[in-house]
Amino acid sequence: MQVVFMNTFERSLEQSQPIQAQLSICEQQGSWSVIWSGEEGAEEDQSVWFEGNSWEEMLAAFRHGVAVKMGEGYVPVIDGMLEERKPLAAASSMYAMLQCYGEINANAALFDALRDWRRAKAASEKKSAYMVANNRMLLMISAYVPKLPEELTQIPGWGESKLTAYGEDILKITAAFEQPLPFPLDWVTDELDPKLFTQWIYKQKENKYKAVLDRQSEKKRLLAAIAEGRSIVQMQTELDMPRRDLMEKIERLEVEGYDLEPFIARELADMPSVEQEQVWEAMTIIGDRYLKPVLHQVYGEELPAGQPVDMLYDRLRLIRLRFRRHDKADAV
């Protein structure tokens, strides 16, 4: 096994020598390993973060593990392993501090009241709750308790459009709560514990790379299901995934260059070739961006009895994959 990367980490402890550990990336015949070794290097002090052939999965596991360890206080001798961009500008750093302080010092009672309002507003407007306001915004509002419109717009993410749409509602709720410290919020930089802020930053990175790991794992399962000949209905059950989400992920695989033609052929095997040709012709004339006009062009306003609409849309989406691949090949 060849070691292609190694870094040493140190964690300072009160009244004792720092703890050291090593992180290694190893490769053997195309298989990658990410190994964390304790101070003594003993086998029982080792943990394997990743083993497999996927470079993308290995890198996600590596970054996730580094974020966890740095959040625990380990400092790498060679830094920059999680830096994908330039260091944060002052404005972005302040933005992160406001978020961190807001999450740590949220008022639970006010946060619950804001969530109740959001739930009702989202239902009345028939949209997802996060489209009204995400949890991070509500946590910050509950921590800073704005009383005036100009104070509310100092909450990161709460711009003029949200102020116009929801500002009056929010300020009615916050009026019943005491404002702990005054606006503007420049005092946050002095009040926020630097150690807590550092831990919070690495927690955000940990969550980010955990999400990447989850997506990689989900993609792996999806590709395996396709290779094993599973149908859309079977994959929906096995992966416990809403049908629309499943189709979007299948479309993403096509964009990433995976050959899905055998899967598409299986799914369209029961669809008459004449019907497939009509869909293709409709996409040629109307375009393939929106499927509803294509559906009506092929089947009319009155859809065929006995064929669920979601199944028809699935077929249109699969034919669209072929159609776009054909257009791309022609362009080349």
Side-chain angles (χ1 to χ4, degrees):
M1 181 177 293
Q2 180 180 2
V3 177
V4 297
F5 173 86
M6 179 178 288
N7 200 354
T8 298
F9 287 69
E10 288 189 352
R11 180 182 179 184
S12 298
L13 299 176
E14 294 181 6
Q15 301 177 347
S16 64
Q17 292 293 322
I19 297 175
Q20 284 194 338
Q22 289 186 326
L23 177 61
S24 306
I25 298 177
C26 304
E27 186 270 339
Q28 185 174 15
Q29 297 181 343
S31 179
W32 298 95
S33 301
V34 180
I35 303 170
W36 174 268
S37 302
E39 182 177 13
E40 301 299 327
E43 185 175 345
E44 59 267 22
D45 293 332
Q46 290 188 348
S47 58
V48 179
W49 294 355
F50 176 81
E51 281 185 328
N53 299 322
S54 170
W55 167 264
E56 292 179 341
E57 286 184 71
M58 181 278 289
L59 195 58
F62 169 80
R63 288 173 169 167
H64 174 259
V66 169
V68 171
K69 291 300 181 182
M70 292 183 74
E72 293 174 356
Y74 283 93
V75 178
V77 173
I78 304 173
D79 203 354
M81 290 176 292
L82 300 180
E83 300 303 328
E84 299 174 344
R85 299 180 181 177
K86 295 178 181 179
L88 287 176
S92 299
S93 179
M94 184 61 186
Y95 189 107
M97 287 183 177
L98 291 173
Q99 292 179 333
C100 175
Y101 185 93
E103 291 185 16
I104 293 172
N105 296 279
N107 181 313
L110 177 50
F111 180 60
D112 287 343
L114 291 168
R115 283 198 303 176
D116 290 342
W117 164 81
R118 181 182 62 181
R119 188 181 302 110
K121 181 62 67 173
S124 68
E125 294 185 350
K126 297 181 179 178
K127 61 172 62 172
S128 300
Y130 76 90
M131 295 292 292
V132 176
N134 61 38
N135 282 343
R136 182 163 283 173
M137 289 179 185
L138 299 189
L139 286 167
M140 286 189 286
I141 291 172
S142 77
Y144 301 122
V145 196
K147 300 287 188 176
L148 302 170
E150 56 268 29
E151 294 178 347
L152 185 54
T153 54
Q154 292 181 47
I155 303 299
W158 202 276
E160 290 297 330
S161 61
K162 285 195 180 294
L163 181 65
T164 301
Y166 309 123
E168 186 176 347
D169 289 351
I170 293 294
L171 295 177
K172 283 181 181 178
I173 298 172
T174 61
F177 293 82
E178 182 180 354
Q179 188 178 85
L181 289 168
F183 283 74
L185 303 176
D186 48 9
W187 49 264
V188 169
T189 55
D190 295 324
E191 291 290 328
L192 184 59
D193 183 337
K195 185 176 180 180
L196 287 177
F197 181 54
T198 299
Q199 291 175 340
W200 182 86
I201 287 290
Y202 285 119
K203 188 64 178 178
Q204 308 315 300
K205 293 180 182 290
E206 176 187 339
N207 292 339
K208 171 185 174 181
Y209 294 121
K210 178 62 165 61
V212 173
L213 276 173
D214 290 343
R215 288 196 297 271
Q216 290 289 342
S217 176
E218 184 179 73
K219 175 180 172 180
K220 193 173 183 179
R221 293 171 61 203
L222 180 56
L223 287 170
I226 290 174
E228 292 166 4
R230 301 286 197 276
S231 67
I232 291 175
V233 174
Q234 289 172 324
M235 286 191 287
Q236 186 182 357
T237 301
E238 292 177 8
L239 300 177
D240 190 23
M241 190 182 300
R243 194 180 189 97
R244 183 178 181 83
D245 290 351
L246 176 60
M247 290 303 300
E248 288 177 354
K249 293 180 190 303
I250 290 172
E251 288 175 326
R252 173 53 53 186
L253 292 177
E254 175 76 20
V255 171
E256 291 177 3
Y258 289 93
D259 180 13
L260 300 183
E261 181 53 36
F263 165 74
I264 294 172
R266 289 198 306 269
E267 288 294 318
L268 298 179
D270 294 334
M271 185 179 186
S273 58
V274 173
E275 194 174 332
Q276 294 186 41
E277 290 168 3
Q278 290 173 336
V279 172
W280 191 283
E281 183 179 357
M283 288 183 178
T284 303
I285 297 171
I286 300 173
D288 65 7
R289 183 175 182 183
Y290 301 107
L291 292 178
K292 189 172 183 179
V294 175
L295 186 75
H296 289 161
Q297 175 76 12
V298 175
Y299 301 104
E301 295 293 332
E302 295 293 330
L303 298 179
Q307 290 188 312
V309 176
D310 57 355
M311 184 191 73
L312 292 176
Y313 271 112
D314 286 349
R315 288 178 169 180
L316 294 186
R317 295 178 83 157
L318 293 173
I319 293 175
R320 182 168 64 180
L321 292 180
R322 279 179 174 169
F323 185 83
R324 289 179 173 176
R325 192 188 328 129
H326 181 269
D327 273 3
K328 187 181 295 185
D330 283 351
V332 174

